[in-house]
Amino acid sequence: MSTDDTTDASTDTESNCGASSTDDDSAATCGASGDSSSSGSGCGGSDSTTDEKVGATVDDFDADPGRLVAVGLGPGQPEGMTQRARGALLDAEHIVGYTTYVDLLPAEITESAEELYDTPMCGEVSRTEEAIDRALAGNDVAIIGSGDPNVYALAGLALEILESKGGTASAVDFEVVPGVPAAQSCGARLGAPLVNDTVSVSLSDHLTPMETIESRLHAVADEGFTIAVYNPWSRKRRENFQRCCEILLDHRDPDTPVGIVHGAGREDESVEIVTLGELEDLGETDLIDMTTTILVGNEDTYVWDDRMVTPRGYESKYDY
């Protein structure tokens, strides 16, 4: 089945999950009471709310449970996917994911799947529950995401929803198939910025209050970590990015090297190395958006031959 065949799957009026009983609230998304569009208007904002909530429970399914696998696609291009991830997707009967990620799948995978189900941005809860319900109905299901399922992704949400339904991870043989996270993909494009202690911080305040994000930024910026900044910019998060730059400059030299990778592994990939003092001015450019990952060097990071280098410490113990 091709991706085009299922573009409108998320607006279908009937569920294909196989639940033994349905109601009007859950028919569209296999037990999810809210359509994925219910949270669309406020996606990414800290004050947004959603009507999405768990619908069907394990008692609504007559079949023996199938299998649920959370698969990380890596940076986006087919060659960036691990062989294990490729094999898991070729084995899956149903593949569920954000529309953009489904579109990244190579044809051999989309053509081998019995069904593809995709939702637009902000349909995280409904599509994760869709994947779970399809697995509870006896299907072998893969829910996909870019990067790694455990890095700002849906592996944890899947387990939380499964638990709320009265199910268990072992009942659906739940497994996580890791992928290359964005920080590592972007680090590889920049040279060697992440070879010492590193932390990651997301600037999205959709699920984490900005006060908490600011506190975490102060804590890590004051230490010798290199910092991977995820979700740096959107129309609703301009102030978050600006505040991030201000906090980093409170603790680090303006000349600190910063690597910026937009769209890693995709057709519009762009890579630049700037200084921390220049970072905030780039917020209004096409270089920084939701597909961008920013890597902030520590006090030892330097730029050599257009590559960022963060020493591991070998120079203090060895002569070379």
Side-chain angles (χ1 to χ4, degrees), residues 260-263 270-272 274 282 285-289 291-292:
I260 304 171
V261 182
H262 167 88
S270 181
V271 180
E272 286 194 26
V274 300
L282 297 174
T285 69
D286 292 338
L287 182 63
I288 298 179
D289 61 16
T291 71
T292 302

Side-chain angles (χ1 to χ4, degrees), residues 43-260:
C43 183
S46 59
D47 58 349
S48 66
T49 58
T50 172
D51 293 330
E52 294 180 291
K53 59 184 178 182
V54 169
T57 69
V58 292
D59 295 332
D60 296 316
F61 297 89
D62 294 329
D64 291 332
R67 189 164 186 259
L68 180 62
V69 184
V71 181
L73 302 182
Q77 75 274 42
E79 58 269 25
M81 190 187 307
T82 69
Q83 288 299 313
R84 184 180 172 195
R86 183 182 300 274
L89 293 175
L90 288 172
D91 289 341
E93 297 169 343
H94 297 188
I95 297 177
V96 176
Y98 170 40
T99 303
T100 297
Y101 301 153
V102 171
D103 290 343
L104 291 174
L105 294 173
E108 65 169 328
I109 290 174
T110 58
E111 291 168 359
S112 70
E114 293 179 12
E115 291 191 27
L116 299 176
Y117 180 93
D118 63 277
T119 67
M121 184 177 292
C122 297
E124 296 95 339
V125 174
S126 63
R127 69 172 170 267
T128 302
E129 188 173 11
E130 178 76 23
I132 292 169
D133 286 352
R134 288 176 182 238
L136 290 172
N139 302 293
D140 288 343
V141 183
I143 183 168
I144 62 171
S146 65
D148 182 271
N150 271 312
V151 181
Y152 305 117
L154 300 182
L157 178 61
L159 291 174
E160 291 173 27
I161 293 179
L162 186 58
E163 181 182 11
S164 72
K165 287 176 173 289
T168 63
S170 57
V172 294
D173 193 17
F174 178 79
E175 181 183 5
V176 173
V177 176
V180 180
Q184 277 63 43
S185 298
C186 297
R189 298 293 292 115
L190 290 163
L194 303 177
V195 297
N196 213 326
D197 295 335
T198 302
V199 298
S200 62
V201 178
S202 170
L203 298 190
S204 172
D205 59 356
H206 181 48
L207 300 174
T208 303
M210 190 59 198
E211 294 80 6
T212 301
I213 296 172
E214 290 186 15
S215 176
R216 291 171 179 173
L217 282 168
H218 277 294
V220 300
D222 195 39
E223 297 294 337
F225 299 108
T226 52
I227 305 171
V229 179
Y230 283 74
N231 303 314
W233 179 275
S234 75
R235 288 176 298 173
K236 293 181 177 293
R237 277 202 294 280
R238 296 183 180 186
E239 294 81 5
N240 298 17
F241 176 76
Q242 293 163 355
R243 185 67 185 126
C244 172
C245 294
E246 292 171 358
I247 291 172
L248 292 173
L249 283 168
D250 283 344
H251 299 276
R252 302 199 175 184
D253 192 287
D255 290 331
T256 301
V258 175
I260 304 171

